[in-house]
Amino acid sequence: MSATSLPRSPTSGTDPVARIVAARAATRRRLLAVTMALAIAVVLAFWTGLALGDVVASNADVWAALFGSGEGGVVNVVRNIRLPRAVAAIVVGAGLGLSGAIFQSLTRNPLASPDILGVTAGASTAAVFAIVWLSAPGTRVAIWAVLGALVAVLAIYGLAWRNGLSIYRLVLVGVGIGAVCQALTEYLITTAATTTAVSATTWLTGSLNSISWLRVGPAVPVLVLLLLALRRLAAALGAIELGDETARGLGVKLEPAKLLLVLIAVALAGVAVSVAGPVVFVAFVAPPIARRLTHGGVALIPCALVGVLLVQAADLVGHHALARAELPVGVITGIIGAPYLLYLLARANQLGQTG
């Protein structure tokens, strides 16, 4: 086929600069449209979570319970039982989605997430220690979970440091630390009394059941502070995703920026785990879903919204799909995430074979 027979695109023959500007404008429009669609879906899922349950509340009842003075029983159910659960889904989903986005952007590896790198495993070990050895209540378990995540990442960061942070070493050390933490968690459970072991095992499944304001309330301001800190580092994260040399060329102070971003990612995961336990695979699948929707690089707000939507959908399914049983949200996200992990591994193997 000769060159003159090729179909002409609508932009052929125009200024290259104009085409770049048009492409950037189209990317921004798509990002805005995807963000708005995800936000609307999150609001609808939030409202549905408030309305559905053993007592089905109408839209007017939910509105009155939230902003007015409705019937006493409905107000109590909506405000004190369903609202903390719905807010917890937002905290957990946003925390895990953003944490996964940061880790995957820093490592430039879709397999990197707090689940894979051992961060949530560290949080789980500390939380189970608090349950088994200290008989700690929910709020103290949450604090121990955050501390466990921080200790795990400090160990990972320290062991991976060799005159700079190698992402390859970070992933390998993280997988190793995660395995050690998993073994310690299982040991702690075997040393516990039967009722305590059941309680710890239930927490490890990742659940929004029996969530109260006492547990989710302190997590909300912490999440807001972390979001504000992440906003200041968003540009550096985007530059680092392009490569270390490019980031240096753009004026990013690489090592301090990486350290701060890792700490923020760990704190986000720790806050999420402190609220609901280790809800698996949300941090793993939310970033790639957001990337496919936006057709772009790291997009933090869509990543957070996808994470929230995943947790909300999993909680609604686990809560209402079966008539006589209520499945923890972590079970549902595990059912969703495990096939995706197998797909990624198979795809990586295929790319390795084909070069």
Side-chain angles (χ1 to χ4, degrees):
M1 181 179 291
S2 66
T4 54
S5 65
L6 289 172
R8 293 173 63 83
S9 68
T11 56
S12 61
T14 59
D15 184 4
V17 175
R19 283 192 289 175
I20 292 174
V21 172
R24 287 180 176 176
T27 300
R28 285 196 295 270
R29 286 196 298 271
R30 183 178 184 85
L31 177 61
L32 180 62
V34 169
T35 301
M36 291 182 65
L38 288 172
I40 292 171
V42 164
V43 171
L44 291 176
F46 179 84
W47 197 267
T48 302
L50 296 180
L52 293 184
D54 294 335
V55 178
V56 178
S58 66
N59 290 331
D61 290 336
V62 173
W63 183 269
L66 291 179
F67 304 108
S69 56
E71 193 273 325
V74 176
V75 170
N76 179 56
V77 168
V78 171
R79 287 185 183 176
N80 299 323
I81 298 177
R82 297 178 186 171
L83 187 57
R85 185 172 186 146
V87 174
I90 294 175
V91 172
V92 173
L96 292 177
L98 288 172
S99 181
I102 295 171
F103 276 119
Q104 292 182 9
S105 295
L106 284 176
T107 60
R108 297 183 287 278
N109 188 330
L111 291 175
S113 75
D115 307 328
I116 307 296
L117 295 178
V119 176
T120 52
S124 299
T125 301
V128 170
F129 173 80
I131 294 172
V132 171
W133 285 85
L134 306 178
S135 301
T139 50
R140 285 172 58 191
V141 171
I143 295 172
W144 274 91
V146 175
L147 292 176
L150 288 173
V151 170
V153 80
L154 288 175
I156 295 168
Y157 205 90
L159 292 172
W161 179 272
R162 293 289 186 279
N163 298 320
L165 184 63
S166 163
I167 299 303
Y168 179 72
R169 285 198 300 272
L170 183 73
V171 173
L172 283 182
V173 172
V175 171
I177 293 292
V180 171
C181 291
Q182 180 67 30
L184 286 175
T185 301
E186 292 175 359
Y187 169 75
L188 288 169
I189 291 177
T190 60
T191 63
T194 303
T195 53
T196 306
V198 170
S199 175
T201 304
T202 302
W203 187 87
L204 286 172
T205 58
S207 174
L208 297 179
N209 300 341
S210 304
I211 287 283
S212 67
W213 285 118
L214 195 61
R215 188 185 298 180
V216 72
V220 174
V222 176
L223 178 67
V224 172
L225 291 175
L226 291 171
L227 294 179
L228 294 175
L230 179 58
R231 183 184 177 189
R232 296 181 64 87
L233 290 168
L237 180 63
I240 292 172
E241 192 181 29
L242 299 175
D244 290 355
E245 294 304 321
T246 303
R248 286 194 184 94
L250 293 173
V252 176
K253 296 180 180 177
L254 206 55
E255 298 306 332
K258 281 184 178 180
L259 177 59
L260 288 174
L261 285 166
V262 167
L263 290 177
I264 290 173
V266 170
L268 286 166
V271 168
V273 173
S274 74
V275 171
V279 180
V280 296
F281 287 123
V282 174
F284 181 61
V285 302
I289 292 175
R291 288 173 190 273
R292 285 184 177 275
L293 291 174
T294 58
H295 291 181
V298 57
L300 294 176
I301 295 177
C303 285
L305 291 173
V306 170
V308 173
L309 198 55
L310 285 172
V311 174
Q312 288 176 322
D315 187 45
L316 288 173
V317 171
H319 195 189
H320 302 292
L322 300 178
R324 296 182 179 274
E326 186 172 349
L327 295 177
V329 65
V331 173
I332 305 298
T333 57
I335 294 172
I336 297 171
Y340 180 72
L341 175 61
L342 294 176
Y343 162 75
L344 272 186
L345 293 174
R347 188 166 179 269
N349 183 53
Q350 186 180 26
L351 290 174
Q353 289 177 347
T354 59

